Coordinates of all heavy atoms in Angstrom, one line a residue:
M31 N -14.8 3.7 -21.4 CA -15.3 4.3 -22.7 C -15.7 5.7 -22.5 O -15.9 6.4 -23.5 CB -16.5 3.4 -23.1 CG -16.6 3.1 -24.5 SD -15.2 2.8 -25.5 CE -15.9 2.5 -27.0
E32 N -15.8 6.2 -21.3 CA -16.2 7.6 -21.1 C -15.1 8.6 -21.6 O -15.4 9.8 -21.7 CB -16.6 7.8 -19.7 CG -15.4 7.6 -18.7 CD -15.8 7.6 -17.3 OE1 -16.8 6.9 -17.0 OE2 -15.1 8.2 -16.5
W33 N -13.9 8.1 -21.9 CA -12.9 9.0 -22.3 C -12.9 9.2 -23.9 O -12.2 10.1 -24.4 CB -11.5 8.4 -21.9 CG -11.3 7.0 -22.4 CD1 -11.6 5.9 -21.7 CD2 -10.9 6.6 -23.7 NE1 -11.4 4.7 -22.5 CE2 -10.9 5.1 -23.7 CE3 -10.5 7.2 -24.9 CZ2 -10.6 4.4 -24.9 CZ3 -10.1 6.5 -26.0 CH2 -10.2 5.1 -26.0
L34 N -13.7 8.4 -24.6 CA -13.7 8.4 -26.0 C -14.2 9.8 -26.6 O -13.5 10.4 -27.4 CB -14.6 7.3 -26.6 CG -14.6 7.3 -28.1 CD1 -13.3 7.0 -28.7 CD2 -15.6 6.2 -28.6
W35 N -15.3 10.3 -26.1 CA -15.9 11.5 -26.6 C -15.0 12.7 -26.3 O -14.7 13.6 -27.2 CB -17.3 11.7 -26.2 CG -18.2 10.7 -26.8 CD1 -18.9 9.7 -26.1 CD2 -18.5 10.6 -28.1 NE1 -19.6 9.0 -27.0 CE2 -19.4 9.4 -28.3 CE3 -18.1 11.2 -29.3 CZ2 -19.9 9.0 -29.5 CZ3 -18.7 10.8 -30.5 CH2 -19.5 9.7 -30.6
P36 N -14.5 12.9 -25.1 CA -13.5 14.0 -24.9 C -12.3 13.9 -25.7 O -11.8 14.9 -26.2 CB -13.2 13.8 -23.4 CG -14.3 13.1 -22.8 CD -14.8 12.2 -23.8
A37 N -11.8 12.6 -26.0 CA -10.6 12.5 -26.8 C -10.9 12.9 -28.2 O -10.1 13.6 -28.9 CB -10.1 11.0 -26.8
L38 N -12.1 12.5 -28.8 CA -12.5 12.9 -30.1 C -12.6 14.5 -30.2 O -12.3 15.1 -31.2 CB -13.7 12.2 -30.5 CG -13.6 10.7 -30.9 CD1 -14.9 10.1 -31.2 CD2 -12.6 10.5 -32.0
A39 N -13.1 15.0 -29.1 CA -13.3 16.5 -29.1 C -12.0 17.2 -29.2 O -11.8 18.2 -29.9 CB -14.1 16.9 -27.9
I40 N -11.0 16.7 -28.5 CA -9.6 17.3 -28.5 C -9.0 17.1 -29.9 O -8.4 18.0 -30.4 CB -8.8 16.6 -27.4 CG1 -9.3 17.1 -26.0 CG2 -7.3 17.0 -27.6 CD1 -8.6 16.4 -24.9
V41 N -9.2 16.0 -30.5 CA -8.7 15.8 -31.9 C -9.3 16.8 -32.8 O -8.6 17.4 -33.6 CB -9.0 14.3 -32.3 CG1 -8.7 14.2 -33.8 CG2 -8.1 13.3 -31.6
C42 N -10.6 17.0 -32.7 CA -11.3 18.0 -33.6 C -10.7 19.4 -33.3 O -10.5 20.2 -34.3 CB -12.8 18.0 -33.3 SG -13.6 16.6 -33.9
I43 N -10.5 19.8 -32.1 CA -9.9 21.1 -31.8 C -8.5 21.2 -32.4 O -8.3 22.2 -33.1 CB -9.9 21.3 -30.2 CG1 -11.3 21.4 -29.7 CG2 -9.0 22.5 -29.9 CD1 -11.3 21.4 -28.2
I44 N -7.7 20.2 -32.2 CA -6.3 20.3 -32.7 C -6.3 20.3 -34.2 O -5.6 21.1 -34.9 CB -5.5 19.1 -32.2 CG1 -5.3 19.3 -30.7 CG2 -4.2 19.0 -32.9 CD1 -4.7 18.1 -30.0
E45 N -7.2 19.5 -34.8 CA -7.2 19.4 -36.3 C -7.8 20.7 -36.9 O -7.5 21.1 -38.0 CB -8.1 18.2 -36.8 CG -7.4 16.9 -36.6 CD -6.2 16.7 -37.5 OE1 -6.2 17.2 -38.6 OE2 -5.2 16.0 -37.0
G46 N -8.6 21.4 -36.2 CA -9.3 22.6 -36.7 C -8.4 23.9 -36.5 O -8.7 24.9 -37.2
L47 N -7.3 23.8 -35.7 CA -6.5 25.0 -35.5 C -5.8 25.4 -36.8 O -5.7 26.6 -37.1 CB -5.5 24.7 -34.4 CG -6.0 24.7 -33.0 CD1 -4.9 24.3 -32.1 CD2 -6.6 26.0 -32.6
G48 N -5.3 24.5 -37.6 CA -4.6 24.8 -38.8 C -5.4 25.6 -39.8 O -5.1 26.7 -40.2
P49 N -6.6 25.1 -40.2 CA -7.4 25.8 -41.1 C -8.0 27.2 -40.6 O -8.2 28.1 -41.3 CB -8.6 24.9 -41.4 CG -8.2 23.5 -41.0 CD -7.1 23.7 -40.0
L50 N -8.1 27.2 -39.2 CA -8.7 28.4 -38.6 C -7.6 29.5 -38.6 O -7.9 30.7 -38.9 CB -9.1 28.1 -37.2 CG -9.6 29.3 -36.4 CD1 -10.9 29.8 -36.9 CD2 -9.8 28.9 -34.9
L51 N -6.4 29.2 -38.2 CA -5.4 30.2 -38.0 C -4.5 30.5 -39.2 O -4.1 31.7 -39.4 CB -4.4 29.7 -36.8 CG -5.1 29.5 -35.5 CD1 -4.2 29.0 -34.5 CD2 -5.8 30.8 -35.0
I52 N -4.2 29.5 -40.0 CA -3.4 29.7 -41.2 C -3.9 29.0 -42.4 O -3.3 28.0 -42.9 CB -1.9 29.3 -40.9 CG1 -1.9 27.9 -40.3 CG2 -1.1 30.3 -40.1 CD1 -0.5 27.2 -40.1
P53 N -5.1 29.4 -42.9 CA -5.8 28.7 -44.0 C -4.9 28.6 -45.3 O -5.0 27.5 -45.9 CB -7.1 29.5 -44.2 CG -6.8 30.8 -43.6 CD -5.8 30.7 -42.5
N54 N -4.2 29.6 -45.7 CA -3.5 29.5 -46.9 C -2.3 28.5 -46.8 O -2.1 27.7 -47.7 CB -2.9 30.9 -47.3 CG -4.1 31.8 -47.7 OD1 -5.1 31.4 -48.3 ND2 -3.9 33.1 -47.5
R55 N -1.6 28.6 -45.7 CA -0.5 27.6 -45.5 C -1.0 26.2 -45.4 O -0.4 25.2 -45.8 CB 0.4 28.0 -44.3 CG 1.3 29.1 -44.6 CD 2.0 29.6 -43.4 NE 3.1 28.7 -43.0 CZ 3.8 28.8 -41.9 NH1 3.5 29.7 -41.0 NH2 4.8 27.9 -41.6
W56 N -2.2 26.0 -44.7 CA -2.9 24.7 -44.6 C -3.2 24.2 -45.9 O -3.0 23.0 -46.2 CB -4.1 24.9 -43.7 CG -4.7 23.6 -43.3 CD1 -5.9 23.1 -43.9 CD2 -4.3 22.7 -42.4 NE1 -6.2 21.9 -43.3 CE2 -5.2 21.6 -42.3 CE3 -3.2 22.7 -41.5 CZ2 -5.1 20.6 -41.5 CZ3 -3.1 21.6 -40.6 CH2 -4.0 20.5 -40.7
R57 N -3.7 25.0 -46.8 CA -4.1 24.6 -48.2 C -2.9 24.1 -48.9 O -2.9 23.0 -49.6 CB -4.8 25.7 -48.9 CG -5.2 25.3 -50.3 CD -5.9 26.4 -51.1 NE -7.2 26.7 -50.4 CZ -7.5 27.9 -49.9 NH1 -6.6 28.9 -50.0 NH2 -8.6 28.1 -49.4
L58 N -1.8 24.8 -48.9 CA -0.5 24.4 -49.5 C 0.0 23.1 -49.0 O 0.5 22.3 -49.7 CB 0.5 25.5 -49.4 CG 0.2 26.8 -50.2 CD1 1.3 27.9 -49.9 CD2 0.1 26.5 -51.7
Y59 N -0.1 23.0 -47.6 CA 0.3 21.7 -47.0 C -0.5 20.5 -47.5 O 0.1 19.5 -47.8 CB 0.2 21.9 -45.5 CG 0.4 20.7 -44.6 CD1 1.7 20.2 -44.5 CD2 -0.7 20.1 -44.0 CE1 1.9 19.1 -43.7 CE2 -0.5 18.9 -43.2 CZ 0.8 18.4 -43.1 OH 1.0 17.3 -42.3
L60 N -1.8 20.7 -47.6 CA -2.6 19.6 -48.1 C -2.3 19.3 -49.5 O -2.3 18.1 -49.9 CB -4.1 19.9 -47.9 CG -4.6 20.0 -46.4 CD1 -6.1 20.3 -46.4 CD2 -4.4 18.6 -45.7
L61 N -2.1 20.3 -50.3 CA -1.7 20.0 -51.7 C -0.4 19.2 -51.8 O -0.2 18.3 -52.6 CB -1.6 21.4 -52.5 CG -2.9 22.0 -52.9 CD1 -2.6 23.4 -53.5 CD2 -3.6 21.2 -53.9
E62 N 0.6 19.6 -51.0 CA 1.9 18.9 -51.0 C 1.7 17.5 -50.5 O 2.3 16.5 -51.1 CB 2.9 19.6 -50.0 CG 4.2 19.1 -50.1 CD 5.2 19.9 -49.3 OE1 5.1 21.1 -49.3 OE2 6.1 19.2 -48.7
I63 N 0.9 17.3 -49.5 CA 0.7 15.9 -49.0 C -0.1 15.1 -50.1 O 0.2 13.9 -50.2 CB -0.2 15.9 -47.7 CG1 0.7 16.3 -46.5 CG2 -0.8 14.6 -47.4 CD1 0.1 16.4 -45.2
S64 N -1.0 15.7 -50.8 CA -1.8 14.9 -51.8 C -0.9 14.4 -52.9 O -1.3 13.5 -53.6 CB -3.0 15.7 -52.3 OG -2.5 16.8 -53.1
Q65 N 0.2 15.0 -53.1 CA 1.1 14.6 -54.2 C 2.2 13.6 -53.8 O 3.0 13.2 -54.6 CB 1.8 15.9 -54.8 CG 0.8 16.8 -55.4 CD 1.4 18.2 -55.8 OE1 2.6 18.4 -55.6 NE2 0.6 19.0 -56.4
Q66 N 2.2 13.2 -52.5 CA 3.1 12.2 -52.0 C 2.7 10.8 -52.5 O 1.5 10.6 -52.7 CB 3.2 12.3 -50.5 CG 3.7 13.5 -49.9 CD 5.1 13.8 -50.3 OE1 6.0 12.9 -50.2 NE2 5.4 15.0 -50.7
P67 N 3.7 10.0 -52.7 CA 3.3 8.6 -53.1 C 2.5 7.9 -51.9 O 2.7 8.2 -50.8 CB 4.7 7.9 -53.2 CG 5.7 9.0 -53.4 CD 5.1 10.2 -52.7
T68 N 1.7 7.0 -52.3 CA 0.8 6.3 -51.4 C 1.6 5.6 -50.3 O 1.2 5.6 -49.1 CB -0.1 5.3 -52.1 OG1 -0.8 6.0 -53.1 CG2 -1.0 4.6 -51.2
N69 N 2.7 5.0 -50.6 CA 3.5 4.3 -49.6 C 4.0 5.2 -48.5 O 4.0 4.8 -47.4 CB 4.6 3.5 -50.3 CG 4.2 2.3 -51.0 OD1 3.1 1.7 -50.7 ND2 5.0 1.8 -51.9
N70 N 4.4 6.4 -48.9 CA 4.9 7.4 -47.9 C 3.7 7.8 -47.0 O 3.9 7.9 -45.7 CB 5.4 8.7 -48.6 CG 6.7 8.5 -49.2 OD1 7.3 7.4 -49.3 ND2 7.3 9.5 -49.8
L71 N 2.5 8.0 -47.5 CA 1.4 8.3 -46.7 C 1.0 7.2 -45.7 O 0.7 7.4 -44.6 CB 0.2 8.6 -47.5 CG 0.3 9.9 -48.4 CD1 -0.9 10.1 -49.3 CD2 0.5 11.1 -47.5
R72 N 1.1 5.9 -46.2 CA 0.9 4.8 -45.3 C 1.9 4.7 -44.2 O 1.5 4.4 -43.1 CB 0.9 3.5 -46.2 CG -0.4 3.3 -46.9 CD -0.5 1.9 -47.4 NE -1.8 1.8 -48.1 CZ -1.9 1.4 -49.4 NH1 -0.9 1.0 -50.1 NH2 -3.1 1.3 -49.9
Q73 N 3.2 4.9 -44.5 CA 4.2 4.9 -43.5 C 3.9 5.9 -42.5 O 4.1 5.7 -41.3 CB 5.6 5.0 -44.1 CG 6.0 3.8 -44.9 CD 7.4 4.1 -45.6 OE1 7.8 5.2 -45.8 NE2 8.0 3.0 -46.0
I74 N 3.7 7.1 -42.9 CA 3.4 8.2 -42.0 C 2.2 7.9 -41.1 O 2.2 8.1 -39.9 CB 3.2 9.6 -42.7 CG1 4.5 10.0 -43.4 CG2 2.6 10.7 -41.8 CD1 4.3 11.2 -44.3
G75 N 1.1 7.4 -41.7 CA -0.1 7.0 -41.0 C 0.2 5.9 -40.0 O -0.2 6.0 -38.8
G76 N 1.0 4.9 -40.4 CA 1.3 3.8 -39.5 C 2.1 4.3 -38.3 O 1.9 3.9 -37.1
I77 N 3.1 5.2 -38.6 CA 3.9 5.7 -37.5 C 3.1 6.5 -36.5 O 3.2 6.4 -35.3 CB 5.1 6.6 -38.0 CG1 6.1 5.7 -38.8 CG2 5.8 7.4 -37.0 CD1 7.1 6.4 -39.6
L78 N 2.2 7.3 -37.0 CA 1.3 8.1 -36.1 C 0.4 7.2 -35.3 O 0.1 7.5 -34.1 CB 0.5 9.1 -36.9 CG 1.3 10.3 -37.5 CD1 0.4 11.1 -38.5 CD2 1.8 11.1 -36.5
V79 N -0.1 6.1 -35.9 CA -1.0 5.2 -35.1 C -0.2 4.5 -34.0 O -0.6 4.4 -32.9 CB -1.6 4.1 -36.1 CG1 -2.2 3.0 -35.3 CG2 -2.7 4.8 -37.0
I80 N 1.0 4.1 -34.3 CA 1.9 3.5 -33.3 C 2.2 4.4 -32.2 O 2.1 4.1 -31.0 CB 3.2 2.9 -34.0 CG1 2.8 1.7 -34.9 CG2 4.2 2.5 -32.9 CD1 3.9 1.2 -35.7
I81 N 2.6 5.7 -32.5 CA 2.9 6.7 -31.5 C 1.7 6.9 -30.6 O 1.8 7.0 -29.4 CB 3.4 8.0 -32.2 CG1 4.8 7.8 -32.8 CG2 3.4 9.1 -31.2 CD1 5.3 8.9 -33.6
G82 N 0.5 7.1 -31.3 CA -0.7 7.3 -30.5 C -1.0 6.1 -29.6 O -1.4 6.3 -28.5
A83 N -0.9 4.9 -30.1 CA -1.3 3.7 -29.3 C -0.3 3.6 -28.1 O -0.7 3.3 -27.0 CB -1.2 2.5 -30.1
V84 N 1.0 3.8 -28.3 CA 2.0 3.7 -27.3 C 1.7 4.8 -26.2 O 1.7 4.6 -25.0 CB 3.4 3.7 -27.8 CG1 4.4 3.9 -26.7 CG2 3.7 2.5 -28.6
S85 N 1.5 6.0 -26.7 CA 1.2 7.1 -25.8 C -0.1 6.9 -25.0 O -0.1 7.1 -23.8 CB 1.0 8.4 -26.6 OG 2.1 8.8 -27.3
L86 N -1.1 6.4 -25.6 CA -2.3 6.1 -24.9 C -2.1 5.0 -23.9 O -2.6 5.1 -22.7 CB -3.4 5.6 -25.9 CG -4.8 5.4 -25.3 CD1 -5.4 6.6 -24.7 CD2 -5.7 4.9 -26.4
F87 N -1.3 4.0 -24.2 CA -1.0 2.9 -23.3 C -0.4 3.4 -22.0 O -0.7 3.1 -20.9 CB -0.1 1.8 -23.9 CG 0.3 0.8 -23.0 CD1 -0.6 -0.2 -22.7 CD2 1.6 0.8 -22.6 CE1 -0.2 -1.2 -21.8 CE2 2.0 -0.2 -21.7 CZ 1.1 -1.2 -21.3
F88 N 0.7 4.3 -22.2 CA 1.4 4.8 -21.1 C 0.6 5.9 -20.3 O 0.8 6.0 -19.1 CB 2.8 5.3 -21.5 CG 3.8 4.2 -21.8 CD1 4.2 4.0 -23.1 CD2 4.2 3.4 -20.8 CE1 5.1 3.0 -23.3 CE2 5.1 2.4 -21.0 CZ 5.6 2.2 -22.3
L89 N -0.2 6.6 -20.9 CA -1.0 7.6 -20.3 C -2.2 7.1 -19.5 O -2.6 7.8 -18.5 CB -1.4 8.7 -21.3 CG -0.4 9.6 -21.9 CD1 -1.0 10.4 -23.0 CD2 0.3 10.5 -20.8
T90 N -2.6 5.9 -19.8 CA -3.8 5.4 -19.1 C -3.4 4.3 -18.1 O -4.3 3.7 -17.5 CB -4.8 4.8 -20.1 OG1 -4.1 3.8 -20.9 CG2 -5.4 5.8 -21.0
R91 N -2.1 4.1 -17.9 CA -1.7 3.1 -16.9 C -1.8 3.7 -15.5 O -1.7 4.8 -15.2 CB -0.3 2.7 -17.1 CG -0.2 1.9 -18.4 CD 1.2 1.4 -18.6 NE 1.4 0.3 -17.7 CZ 2.7 -0.1 -17.3 NH1 3.7 0.5 -17.8 NH2 2.8 -1.1 -16.5

């Protein structure tokens, strides 16, 4: 469980790069995403969760 906080810190750093470096493009990106159908967002979220889980599995073996 000692890996959880460093992992969350890395996620915060990566997620913060967009608004920090390119705020106008980030805003347009969020507007475009907010107009997508709910099913598309769920599919994208599901794919990202699966990719993350598989990556974590292989990286921690």
